[in-house]
Amino acid sequence: MSYAEPLYPVSAGEYSESEDWLDAFRDVRAVTEQLCSPLETEDYVIQSMDDVSPPKWHLGHVTWFFETFLLKPFLRGYVPLNEAYDHLFNSYYETHGSPFPRPRRGVLSRPTVAEVYRYRHYVDEAMGLLLNNPPSEYRHAIAERTCLGIHHEQQHQELLAMDIKHILAQNPLRPVYTERLQVPPKRHPVPMGWRSYEGGVVSVGVKPGNGGFAFDNERPAHRQYLEPFDLATRPVNNQEYLRFMEQGGYQDPALWLSDGWHLVREKGWTAPLYWMKENDRWYHFTLRGWRRLDPNAPVCHVSFYEADAFARWAGERLPTEGEWERAATHARNWNGNFLESGYLHPVAAEGEGLGPLRRQIPLQMFGDVWEWTGSAYRPYPGFRTLSGSLGEYNGKFMSGQMVLRGGCCATPASHIRPTYRNFFPPSARWAFSGFRLAREATTP
Amino acid sequence: MSYAEPLYPVSAGEYSESEDWLDAFRDVRAVTEQLCSPLETEDYVIQSMDDVSPPKWHLGHVTWFFETFLLKPFLRGYVPLNEAYDHLFNSYYETHGSPFPRPRRGVLSRPTVAEVYRYRHYVDEAMGLLLNNPPSEYRHAIAERTCLGIHHEQQHQELLAMDIKHILAQNPLRPVYTERLQVPPKRHPVPMGWRSYEGGVVSVGVKPGNGGFAFDNERPAHRQYLEPFDLATRPVNNQEYLRFMEQGGYQDPALWLSDGWHLVREKGWTAPLYWMKENDRWYHFTLRGWRRLDPNAPVCHVSFYEADAFARWAGERLPTEGEWERAATHARNWNGNFLESGYLHPVAAEGEGLGPLRRQIPLQMFGDVWEWTGSAYRPYPGFRTLSGSLGEYNGKFMSGQMVLRGGCCATPASHIRPTYRNFFPPSARWAFSGFRLAREATTP
Amino acid sequence: MSYAEPLYPVSAGEYSESEDWLDAFRDVRAVTEQLCSPLETEDYVIQSMDDVSPPKWHLGHVTWFFETFLLKPFLRGYVPLNEAYDHLFNSYYETHGSPFPRPRRGVLSRPTVAEVYRYRHYVDEAMGLLLNNPPSEYRHAIAERTCLGIHHEQQHQELLAMDIKHILAQNPLRPVYTERLQVPPKRHPVPMGWRSYEGGVVSVGVKPGNGGFAFDNERPAHRQYLEPFDLATRPVNNQEYLRFMEQGGYQDPALWLSDGWHLVREKGWTAPLYWMKENDRWYHFTLRGWRRLDPNAPVCHVSFYEADAFARWAGERLPTEGEWERAATHARNWNGNFLESGYLHPVAAEGEGLGPLRRQIPLQMFGDVWEWTGSAYRPYPGFRTLSGSLGEYNGKFMSGQMVLRGGCCATPASHIRPTYRNFFPPSARWAFSGFRLAREATTP
Amino acid sequence: MSYAEPLYPVSAGEYSESEDWLDAFRDVRAVTEQLCSPLETEDYVIQSMDDVSPPKWHLGHVTWFFETFLLKPFLRGYVPLNEAYDHLFNSYYETHGSPFPRPRRGVLSRPTVAEVYRYRHYVDEAMGLLLNNPPSEYRHAIAERTCLGIHHEQQHQELLAMDIKHILAQNPLRPVYTERLQVPPKRHPVPMGWRSYEGGVVSVGVKPGNGGFAFDNERPAHRQYLEPFDLATRPVNNQEYLRFMEQGGYQDPALWLSDGWHLVREKGWTAPLYWMKENDRWYHFTLRGWRRLDPNAPVCHVSFYEADAFARWAGERLPTEGEWERAATHARNWNGNFLESGYLHPVAAEGEGLGPLRRQIPLQMFGDVWEWTGSAYRPYPGFRTLSGSLGEYNGKFMSGQMVLRGGCCATPASHIRPTYRNFFPPSARWAFSGFRLAREATTP
C-alpha cells in the first residue's frame, strides 16, 4: 500500500524566484538530520508495519528526489554516487524505473546508515553547485523543483516523526526517542463551544496569484455552496473520548460505519492507538516515552472510523473540508503547536477562545492534530494531472481515502496553510490525527 | 463484506395512503418468483463469491423483511413459521439478533428451496390478512413499511439477476439462464457527442412534497454549486472500450488510480468481467449464454477503477453525481432498458440523440447500465439516521464506496428516479455497471 | 489440498477372475445410492470446507473413474454422455486433462443432481455391456480395474458419510441425516487393560499370494524390528477424554506438539470436532442429529495432535503402524462396527475383552474409529509407483500425513483388512478418527 | 513457525567432568563473535523472512540460555543485566515466561548491537566465575548444562551462517559477507558409484556409554531391520541437477509429491534457492557473493520436495535415516568440509572414492551439505521427554518435518556425529541442504 507516500505535484510557479533557494534547501536538510539525531543506528533500519518506512529509507528517498529531478537533468557532468540507489529509493514512480517493493524496505541492511548520510552529503554538495550557479535557461524550472523538493522533504519530516514513534512503540523495552523534548504545559480545561457560519457560495482551494507554494491537489480554486453550519471551538479532547469509551462506544455497532465495525472486531480496538491501561490509569506512548494521559489535550491517533463513531455518539458529525476551510480562512494567523514548538505531541487548548466582542473563535485549527473531515479525498473540479514522471501520479491516491486538515505537532510550520489537503485511509491511526465536531446550523 | 446489501431506509411518507398496497405487494412478489422460475433447484444454493448470496437466501430475506417489520409488530396473533429463520435471513441488522455470517450463506442446504417458497407463501398469506384489514392506529406505519418492503424487494430483484449471472458464469458447462429473453436489436452506431450545461447553484436530492417514494440517502434536498460542464450524450460503448484495451490501457500504470493498478496486477485484469477471447473474437457472458460482443452496446461489468482509467486515457473524467443529477432532472421521461424490457442486458443506443432545434440530448441516462460517477458515497448535508432497527444502519455503508446513477437493465422501471443513489466499492464488477464521460465546459 | 482423495493404485492381480464382477459392481453402486437416498437435492451441492466435496461430485467422480479407466479404453463404440464431465469429475489426475479446482467444486450448480444420476445410470448400463461380454484379450485388465473401481467407490462411500455429516453440522437448523439409523446400545463400561507383545522381526504389509485385493501402499511385505510393547485393549473413550479436557488438556502447551499447539490457539479448539456444551451437558453431532455423549463410546473426530497430546498427558504414546498391524494380524476375525451395522457412529465396547485362558485381547481393533498411529505416511521399502495415469500419483500424498488403521463405522466391512493404511494430515478432524494407547513393554 | 529453533535436550551425562568447561565455553563464544565480525551494525537487525532471526537476536538468545539455565540457578548473587531480556531472548519456552513472537523479532531496534554484546560479555564474566569455582553440589549439573549450552551455541552458529546468507541475498546491492573466505578448489569430476549394504538387524541411535555428547532425539539406541540397499558414493552435484532442470523436472507433476507440486506452482520454483541465470549462465549466491556454479559441487539449498522429485526422475529414491546411519557408522573418520574449513560453501568431491581392495566408499558423508533422508522426524521407540523447562519441549517439533544427516559446510566439526538428527520442514531451502541417492539392493 503506497498511500502513506506524500504527493509530489508540480507547483504553479507562485513563488519568488529571488528567494535564496540554497539557504532554504540547507535549512530543510538540516532539520531532517536534526530529527534523526537521537536515533541509534539500529532504529534507522526497522519497518514496523507495511505503512512505515525505515528512517534511513526516508533519508535516502528525499535525497533521491533532488538527484532525480534536479541534479540528473540540470547539473552538467553530475555522476550519481551509486546507480542502484535509483531503484532502492524510488518510492512509487512506476514509469521511472521500477520501485523497490514497499513492504520489503525493512529487509535492506545496505546501504548502511553511514552510506545513506554519505549519499545525502554528496547530493547536498552537488545541489550547492547547482543552486549557486543555475544555468539561466533552466533557472525557473530549478527554482520550481527545488521548492517542490523542499516541501517534499518537509512531508517526510512528519512521516519520520510518525514512523519513529511507531517503531519505538513496538519495543517492549519502552525506549524513549529523546528526553529533551518540551514538556507539555498543564492547562485548565477549555469548554467546547460552537461558532456559527452562514451558508452560501464560498471559494475553496488556492486562488491564482496568491503568492505562495501549494500542491496541485489544492487547485484549482472553485466555488462550493455551503449550507449554514456550526463548528466546535476546539478538537475533542482525551477526557471526552474517555467518556465515549466508558459508555460503550467500542461495543455498540449502531455507532459505527460498517467497515469500521469490522475493524473494531477484527483488530480488537478498544482505545486509540498507543493507549494502555495500567493499574486503572490510562497511559499513552509519546516520543518522550509512556506518559499519563492529559485529559485536556486533543485526542490523537484515532482513525476516521473512531472519529465518525464518536461524532455519531455525540449526536453531531464531522465537518466537510469545505466547511473547515471556510472557517480556517478567517483565521488571523496560522500559528499553532507545530514541529518547531518541540513537543512532538498535541497539547491542551489555551485561553478562552473568545475574539472581539467576546465572540467564539475556533482554537487549535492549526497544529496539534490533523483533523479528520467528512470529505472523501477526490479531485477538485478542473483538477488536471501533469505530464512527465513528476506529475505522473499526482492524483493516483484519490480513492479510498479521507481528507484531514490543519497540520499537527509534527508538521513544519512553514508547510501548512488553510487550503492544505492531507489524506489517509479511514483505518489509519499512526498519523497524529484527531478531529473536531460540526453540526447543521441551529436556528438562532 | 456487506456492501452489496441494499439500504432499508425509512421513507418520509411521501406517498398516497390510498394506493392499493396489497396489489402492489402481490405484484412485486410475483415478479421475484418469475425471475427465479428458470432456475434449477441446485442454482438456488450456490454462493459463487462472498458478495453473492444464494438465490434462495434472497427469497427468504425479502420475506423476512415483511415478517420482521410488519407481521410481527402489527398482525395480531401472528406465529412465525420457523423461529430460526429470524437468524438465517437477517442480512446485517446487528441489533436485531445476530445475522448469520454472510460468507457462510453458501454452506446452508436447509431450509430447502421448497421450504423457502413455503415460507414466502405463508408470509404472503399473512400479509394479505394484514393489508386487507390494517388496524387503524397503525395504518400509516403499515403503508409506509409496506412501501419500503416493496422497494427493498425490487432491490433484491436486481441483486438476483446479478447473482444468478455470476453463479452461472462460473460453470464450465456454460449454462444459460433462459433462452426466452429478448434478443438485443442490431442498431447503427450512434456517435458520442457532448451536451453543455451552465454552472451555478442547483438543488440536489429529493425535495419535500415531491410525492413519490425515495430512500433516506437521497435526502435532504440541498444546494450545490456546479461549475459549467459538458456531459457525453451516451455511455462509452464496447467498441470504444476495446480500443482502450488494444492501446494498452491495462498495461499503463499512469492511467490508473494506485489502488486500481494494484488490483489490475493482483487479479490479472485485462478486460471487463465476463469477457473472453476465443479464436480472435470477443465474447461475453450474458444471461442468454456466451455471446459475441455488440460493439455498439454500452460497456458493462467494469469497476470504477476501469471507468476512471478509461476516462483518463480519453483525456476526460467521470461526472460528479451532482452533475449527473442536474442533467437527468431535465429528462422528459425516465424510460429506458429496464428489467421489464426483457433483455437483462444493455443494448445499443438508438436514434440520433437530438432534441428540439436539433440540440444534443443525452441518451440512455436511465436503464442499460448503472453509471459510475466520480463522487464518493457520503451523506448529504443534514442527513440523519433514524431510530430503531429499521433505521439503525441507514448510513453505515457511507465509506469506501462510489455512487452510481440511473439504473440498469436489471432494475425494475418503477424503482428508479433521477435522485436515486446506488453505490458499490470501486473494485466491484458484478453489477451491470458502465459509465459516461464528462469534462470541464469548453469555452464556447 | 487434495489429501482427502483416496489413492487409486493398481492392485497386483491377487483376486479371482472367476468372481462375478458385474454383481459386485452392481452391489457397490447400489450402496452408494442408498447412502445418498436420505438427502435433499440441496444437500448434494454444498462444499462446507475445502476438504469436503459436494455429494453430487462424489457420485459423478466414482462414475467418471469407471468411464475413464474401463469404458473408454475397453468398450468398443462407447460414447461419453457429456465430454465436459471428464474435466469436472477428474479429482487430481494432472496428466489426464486438467482437474477442476477442488475448492471451487461448491460453486457448480450444474450438472444437476438428476443429471448426475443420469450419468451414473448411463455408465452403469455400459458397464453391464462390458462386464457381460469382456473382450478376451482385456479380460484380466478389466477385472483388475473393475475391482479397483469398486474399492475406489467404497472409499468414497466413507467420504460421503464424512462430508454429509460435515455439511449438515454447519446448519443452524440442526438437520438430521436420517432418523432410521440404528440406535447405539447402552453398554457397561469396559475397563482399559493392556496386552503385551514380544519384540522381534515381524513382517509388515501384504505378502504375495495372499489372495485378496490390496492397495499398492500396503506393498511390498517387508520386515520390521519391533521392540517389545504393550497395547491398550480398547480405544480411549469419551469419558477418559473428558477428564483430559477437564484437567486442562487444551490449556497446557507442554502436552502438545508445536504445530498442534499453534492450531489449538489459532482455531480456539477446546474439544473434539462436533462437540457442544449446553446447560452443562455435553452433546455431539451425529448423523442422527445432536445427541448426548455416550461416556463409554470411543472418542471420535479428534486430530492426530489431540490424540498425541492425550497420550502424553496419560504418560503413554500412540502405537506405530507396525505395532498395530502386528497386534491386528492375530485377530481371529475382522468384525466390527462398520457401515453395514447401520449406526454410522462409534459405539461403546462390549464384553470383557478376554480370550482363552482369560488373556486380554484387544477390542474394537476393526471398525468404530480409525486409530491414529504414531507413524508418518511414507512408502514401504521397495515401494514403486506404477506407469500410466492410474498409477501416476500413487505415492504423491506420502508427505505431511499420518497413518490411521482399522476402519471405522462408515467403512464398508469388505473394504478393510489388517494391512490397510489410511492417512490424513495431523490436523484433520472430520474423519471418524480416534486412537488407542501404547507403551514400551513393562518389565514382567 | 518455530521449526528453525534447535532443540535443547538434556544430555545423558556421557562426557568427562574433568574436561575444562571454561576453556570450551570461551572457545565457542569466540567463534560466534568471529562469525559476526564481518557484519555491519545494520545487518544484525534484519529478519528477512519469518524463519530467519536477526543476528543480534541469535547473539542474545544463546547468551540467555547460559543465564537462564546456569547463572540464575547456580551462581549465588547473580543479578541479571536487564530483566526484560528474559522475555526478548526466550525462543519458544512457553512455560518459561512468554516468548516474544518470533515473526516480530525484526521490529526490535533495541537492545542495540552494542548492548547485546555488552550482555554477552556480562554473562561471559559471570560464567567465568561460575565455572572457575562451581558449587560442589551442582558440579555435575553445571557441567552437563554447560556442555548443552555449548552445543546449543554451535547450532546457532550454523543458523547464523544460514540467516546472514539469506539476509544478504535479499539485497539488490549484492553485498558480500566477506571476501576473506576460502576459495573453493577446482576439482575433476568424480563419477557417482554405488556401494552395497547387506540387510539385517542394525542398531540405530546412541548407545549408552559411548562417551560423547548427544541430543535426546538420538536416543535410545534401538534395533531396526534393514532390507539390503545400495547407497550412492557421493551427493548429487550441480551438473546432475541442471540436467534434471533442463529435462523439465520443474514442469512435470508426475515427479512430485502433491504438496511439493503445489509449492512449485505457487512459488514459481524453477531452480534451487539462490540460483540465477544471467546471460545464459548460472550463478548462485554464496557468502563470497554471486559466483558461477561449480558443476562438480553438491547441489545445495534444495527442499525435500526437490530432492524427492530428482530421485524419482532418476529412478531412485532417498535413503532412510537408518540406512544412512548404517553406512556412516562404518566411516573411519568424520572429517569433511565443515565450518572450520573456511569455505562456508559445499565444494566438489575429491579423489576416487575407493577404499581398500578398491572397494567403493561413500564420499562427503560428513560436511558440505546436509542430506535429506526419506524419513519423517519422529521419536525413536522408547524416547521420553524430560521434566522441567529444559526438557519441556524436547519432542515438540516431531511432526511435519524430515530428517537430514551428516552436517554441512556451516556446521562446527565438533558438533557432528553419525547419529546426529537434524530436521526441517520439507519445504525449507535456506539450510545448506542437498541429498544423496539410494536404491533397493540390485541382485548381485
Side-chain angles (χ1 to χ4, degrees), chain A residues 252-262 265 304-305 308 312, chain B residues 1-3 5-8 90-96 99 216-217 377-379 383 385-386 389-401 423:
Chain A
D252 182 0
L255 299 175
W256 294 79
L257 285 162
S258 179
D259 291 346
W261 182 243
H262 283 124
R265 287 190 296 186
F304 170 79
Y305 296 124
D308 182 79
R312 192 165 293 113
Chain B
M1 304 290 284
S2 50
Y3 42 73
E5 302 297 337
L7 290 179
Y8 309 142
N90 177 358
S91 52
Y92 55 66
Y93 287 76
E94 308 223 15
T95 59
H96 179 85
D216 62 348
N217 62 0
Y377 179 54
R378 293 289 298 150
F383 171 78
T385 55
L386 296 149
S389 258
L390 253 187
E392 170 194 352
Y393 290 124
N394 272 343
K396 82 173 179 179
F397 301 114
M398 290 179 173
S399 78
Q401 313 213 38
F423 52 91

Side-chain angles (χ1 to χ4, degrees), chain C residues 95-109:
Chain C
T95 58
H96 180 84
S98 69
F100 186 80
R102 182 187 174 101
R104 300 289 291 164
R105 288 177 188 163
V107 306
L108 298 179
S109 57

Side-chain angles (χ1 to χ4, degrees), chain B residues 42-43 104 109-110 113, chain C residues 42-43 109-110 113 170-171:
Chain B
E42 292 84 345
D43 299 328
R104 300 289 291 164
S109 57
R110 319 288 180 92
V113 174
Chain C
E42 291 84 345
D43 299 328
S109 57
R110 319 289 178 93
V113 174
Q170 309 307 308
N171 202 305

Side-chain angles (χ1 to χ4, degrees), chain C residues 3-57:
Chain C
Y3 42 72
E5 302 296 338
L7 290 179
Y8 308 140
V10 170
S11 71
E14 309 276 1
Y15 53 88
S16 161
E17 288 185 31
S18 64
E19 181 162 348
D20 187 335
W21 288 111
L22 184 53
D23 261 19
F25 172 80
R26 284 182 177 147
D27 284 353
V28 81
R29 300 286 284 174
V31 168
T32 304
E33 301 196 3
Q34 198 183 333
L35 252 174
C36 292
S37 63
L39 299 184
E40 298 284 354
T41 298
E42 291 84 345
D43 299 328
Y44 284 94
V45 183
I46 304 292
Q47 180 169 36
S48 50
M49 63 170 174
D50 282 3
D51 291 336
V52 162
S53 294
K56 72 171 177 143
W57 185 89

